[in-house]
């Protein structure tokens, strides 16, 4: 019933694990500040050693009175104070199926909240709410949003692969041979390099 689907808790949880990294891994995404100090050119030694390091990420978890749970993340740590201070108390006790009303009220909650950390927190809450709605209604979120495709095109994310020119070409060809029709490369070029 309606009472059992109401939001009982909104919490930020840390998920911990381990991941493999290479010492020479200096890839980066372009950042507007690079016009002032471009990052060093990327070079990867052939013998870059791998090591396993701790890794953690923050997720937003919603739970209903009836025990249904939804999860979204990882979320940026800057959004956590807004989620905990402003949005968690607001969402507690609300009906997650009130799509427009919840989004509009979150968006109007702070007069400076139309960008930055506040908007990042709203985005995390909104995504978790969509996951919760899908679980409550037994439907995939794309159906709730009006989607009707039976297939969705995907791409191969190449973050973490070598950016050395010969290695990029070899990996791109290998991915294409595997059937990937699109690839997303994170080339180490920022605004300063044009």
């Amino acid at each position: 019933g309606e009472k059992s689907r109401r939001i009982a808790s909104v919490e930020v949880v840390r998920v911990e694990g381990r991941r493999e990294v290479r010492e020479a891994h200096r890839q980066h995404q372009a950042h507007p500040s690079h016009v002032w100090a471009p990052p060093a050119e990327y070079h990867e030694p052939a013998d870059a050693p791998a090591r396993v390091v701790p890794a953690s990420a923050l997720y937003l978890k919603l739970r209903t009175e009836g025990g249904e749970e939804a999860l979204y993340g990882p979320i940026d740590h800057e959004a956590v104070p807004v989620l905990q201070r402003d949005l968690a108390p607001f969402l507690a006790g609300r009906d997650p199926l009130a799509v427009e009303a919840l989004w509009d009220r979150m968006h109007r909650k702070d007069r400076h909240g139309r960008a930055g950390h506040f908007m990042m927190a709203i985005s995390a809450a909104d995504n978790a709410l969509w996951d919760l709605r899908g679980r409550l209604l037994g439907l995939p979120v794309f159906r709730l949003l009006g989607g009707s495709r039976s297939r969705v095109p995907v791409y191969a994310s190449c973050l973490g692969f070598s950016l050395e020119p010969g290695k990029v070409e070899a990996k791109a060809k290998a991915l294409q041979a595997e059937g990937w029709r699109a690839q997303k490369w994170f080339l180490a070029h920022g605004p300063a390099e044009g």
Side-chain angles (χ1 to χ4, degrees):
E2 184 178 331
K3 181 160 177 37
S4 69
R5 75 173 179 240
R6 294 201 175 273
I7 299 169
S9 68
V10 179
E11 61 182 307
V12 175
V13 295
R14 180 176 300 278
V15 176
E16 307 211 5
R18 302 181 69 73
R19 67 184 180 105
E20 186 178 285
V21 296
R22 298 194 178 279
E23 290 300 321
H25 182 76
R26 290 193 322 261
Q27 286 178 300
H28 65 274
Q29 292 182 339
H31 191 274
S33 68
H34 291 164
V35 298
W36 295 102
E41 188 174 330
Y42 179 84
H43 290 287
E44 180 179 317
D47 60 348
R51 64 186 176 102
V52 177
V53 299
S56 69
L58 299 172
Y59 284 78
L60 181 62
K61 182 165 73 170
L62 305 180
R63 191 174 61 255
T64 66
E65 295 287 345
E68 192 70 58
E69 290 186 349
L71 197 63
Y72 174 75
I75 60 174
D76 293 325
H77 70 274
E78 297 90 352
V80 172
V82 176
L83 285 163
Q84 292 174 330
R85 180 191 65 231
D86 300 300
L87 300 183
F90 165 73
L91 290 170
R94 305 264 182 204
D95 180 355
L97 299 182
V99 178
E100 292 296 324
L102 288 177
W103 195 93
D104 189 57
R105 290 182 71 180
M106 286 190 294
H107 192 244
R108 294 174 188 269
K109 191 133 185 66
D110 185 279
R111 64 189 173 116
H112 301 293
R114 298 199 173 37
H117 304 311
F118 209 94
M119 188 54 83
M120 290 166 44
I122 290 172
S123 176
D126 191 46
N127 277 288
L129 284 164
W130 279 108
D131 182 41
L132 185 56
R133 291 173 191 127
R135 292 172 188 278
L136 289 168
L137 299 171
L139 293 168
V141 172
F142 83 91
R143 286 277 188 227
L144 298 177
L145 297 172
S148 59
R149 291 184 181 187
S150 60
R151 297 172 55 104
V152 176
V154 296
Y155 61 84
S157 176
C158 299
L159 181 62
F161 293 127
S162 174
L163 294 179
E164 295 290 334
K167 292 181 180 178
V168 168
E169 182 180 8
K171 185 64 177 180
K173 285 181 178 178
L175 290 169
Q176 185 178 30
E178 289 175 18
W180 293 97
R181 295 180 59 191
Q183 300 172 26
K184 181 178 180 181
W185 284 89
F186 297 79
L187 303 174
H189 298 289
E193 292 94 12

